[in-house]
C-alpha cells in the first residue's frame, strides 16, 4: 500500500510503494540500546556470534530491562535456540570432584566368555573343547564309514569301525524301508545237561525273547542290549544260513558262535543240576495282524524254525576257557 512520510523526513511528499519500515520501540529515557539503564549491570543474555553459531552466557545479576528481556532472562539457557548448555559444551568441565577419564567406559566394561577366566581355567577349557571336537569328528567319521559302501578303508579297518559302532551306535534303516518289519519273532532255547546221578536230561523250552520283553515293558529307559542283542543276533544268523541251516561261509560260522554265547549267557542263571553239554534253538515267527481298516489278509499262525543241537565249548561259557562247567572244558 502507498504511504506518505513526514515532510521533515527523507522523501517527504513522495509516494512509497514498499512496505513500511519497522517502527522502533521507544526506549525509556536513559536506557541503552541493549535494554539496560545507564550505570546498571545486566543479568540478561550476552549474545555473541561465533564461527559455528550463536552462543549464550548468563550472569546471576538481576535484569531490569524491558519486559521482554526479563522473560528471556528467566528462561533456562538451554531453551534458547542455537545455544549450548554449559554441561553440553565440549570444553565444559565435568562435575566437581570427579576427574574426566575418556577410557573409563572401556575399562569398566564386563568381560565375558573364556576371556573372563584366569589363565589356568582358560587352558583347561581350551583343552576340553579341543578333545570334544576331536571326539565328535572321530565319531562322525566312524559312522560315515559304517554306512558308506565298501571301500579300501573299511576293508582294512572294518573291525575297528564295527567295534566303535556296535552296539550303542548301530544304524538301522528298516524303519524307512519299503517293507518294514511286520513280524514278532520269539527265540527259545533248551539245554541238554548231565544230572547229578549221571543221567543225561533235556530241559523245557525257555523263551528268551519273553525275558527281554519283561525288562522292556513299562521301562522308560530300557537297555540297548535288552532291545536289540538277541533280535539282531537271530537276524544275523538267519541272514547267513540257508533253509537247511547250512552256514554261508565264515559269516555263517561266526553267527553260530555268537548265538551260542548269548544262549549260554542267558542260561547261566538257571540251575539245571549239572553242566550243560549241548543247546538247541528254535524261533517262532508270527505275522502282525493287519489293521481293521485294511483289506490285507494276513496269516497270523506261528511258524517255527528249529535248529540242530550245538555242542557247547569252553569259549561259549560266560567265564571263557577258564570255566570248567562243561565236559569240553575239563
Amino acid at each position: 500500500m502507498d504511504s506518505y512520510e513526514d515532510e521533515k523526513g527523507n522523501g517527504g511528499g513522495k509516494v512509497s510503494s514498499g512496505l513500511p519500515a519497522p517502527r522502533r520501540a521507544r526506549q525509556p529515557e536513559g536506557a541503552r540500546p541493549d535494554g539496560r539503564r545507564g550505570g546498571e549491570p545486566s543479568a540478561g543474555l550476552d549474545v555473541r556470534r561465533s564461527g559455528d553459531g550463536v552462543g549464550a552466557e548468563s550472569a546471576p545479576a538481576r535484569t531490569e530491562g524491558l519486559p521482554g528481556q526479563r522473560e528471556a532472562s528467566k528462561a533456562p539457557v538451554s531453551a534458547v535456540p542455537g545455544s549450548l548448555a554449559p554441561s553440553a559444551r565440549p570444553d565444559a568441565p565435568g562435575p566437581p570432584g570427579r576427574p574426566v577419564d575418556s577410557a573409563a567406559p572401556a575399562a569398566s566394561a564386563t568381560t565375558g566368555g573364556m576371556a573372563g577366566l584366569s589363565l589356568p581355567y582358560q587352558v583347561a577349557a581350551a583343552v576340553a573343547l579341543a578333545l570334544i571336537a576331536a571326539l565328535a569328528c572321530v565319531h562322525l567319521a566312524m559312522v560315515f564309514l559304517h554306512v558308506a559302501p565298501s571301500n579300501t578303508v573299511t576293508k582294512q579297518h572294518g573291525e575297528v569301525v564295527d567295534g566303535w559302532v556296535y552296539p550303542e551306535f548301530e544304524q538301522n534303516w528298516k524303519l524307512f524301508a519299503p517293507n518294514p518289519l511286520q513280524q514278532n519273532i520269539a527265540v527259545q532255547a533248551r539245554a541238554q545237561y548231565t544230572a547229578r546221578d549221571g543221567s543225561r536230561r533235556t530241559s523245557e523250552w525257555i523263551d528268551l525273547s519273553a525275558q527281554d520283553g519283561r525288562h522292556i515293558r513299562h521301562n522308560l529307559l530300557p537297555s540297548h542290549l535288552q532291545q536289540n542283542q538277541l533280535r539282531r543276533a537271530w537276524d544275523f544268523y538267519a541272514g547267513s544260513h540257508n533253509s537247511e541251516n547250512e552256514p554261508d561261509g565264515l559269516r555263517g560260522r561266526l553267527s553260530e558262535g555268537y548265538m551260542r554265547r548269548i544262549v549260554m549267557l542267558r542260561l547261566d542263571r538257571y540251575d539245571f543240576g549239572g553242566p550243560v553239554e549241548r543247546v538247541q534253538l528254535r524261533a517262532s515267527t508270527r505275522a502282525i495282524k493287519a489293521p481293521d481298516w485294511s483289506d490285507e489278509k494276513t496269516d497270523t499262525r506261528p511258524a517255527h524254525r528249529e535248529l540242530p543241537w550245538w555242542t557247547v565249548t569252553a569259549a561259549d561259557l560266560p567265564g571263557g576257557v577258564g570255566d570248567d562247567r562243561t565236559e569240553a572244558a575239563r
Side-chain angles (χ1 to χ4, degrees), residues 254-265:
L254 289 175
S255 66
E256 291 180 5
Y258 187 43
M259 284 298 304
R260 286 198 303 269
R261 291 177 178 85
I262 292 178
V263 172
M264 292 304 299
L265 184 64

Side-chain angles (χ1 to χ4, degrees), residues 47-70:
V47 180
R48 302 173 184 176
R49 293 188 178 273
S50 60
D52 56 350
V54 179
E57 296 181 357
S58 60
R62 185 180 59 181
T63 301
E64 296 182 358
L66 296 177
Q69 283 184 318
R70 293 194 187 97

Side-chain angles (χ1 to χ4, degrees), residues 241-246 305 308:
H241 286 72
N242 56 21
S243 59
E244 301 297 329
N245 296 319
E246 297 176 351
R305 180 177 179 177

Side-chain angles (χ1 to χ4, degrees), residues 111-126 129:
T111 304
M114 293 180 57
L117 302 175
S118 60
L119 182 58
Y121 285 101
Q122 289 183 5
V123 174
L129 290 177

Side-chain angles (χ1 to χ4, degrees), residues 231-247:
R231 178 182 62 84
R232 293 291 294 158
W234 178 259
D235 185 68
F236 180 28
Y237 175 86
S240 58
H241 286 72
N242 56 21
S243 59
E244 301 297 329
N245 296 319
E246 297 176 351

Side-chain angles (χ1 to χ4, degrees), residues 59-126:
R62 185 180 59 181
T63 301
E64 296 182 358
L66 296 177
Q69 283 184 318
R70 293 194 187 97
E71 298 297 331
S73 63
K74 296 179 180 179
V77 177
S78 59
V80 180
S83 64
L84 293 176
S87 60
R89 293 175 55 188
D91 56 346
R98 180 181 299 177
V100 178
D101 188 1
S102 59
S108 62
T110 303
T111 304
M114 293 180 57
L117 302 175
S118 60
L119 182 58
Y121 285 101
Q122 289 183 5
V123 174

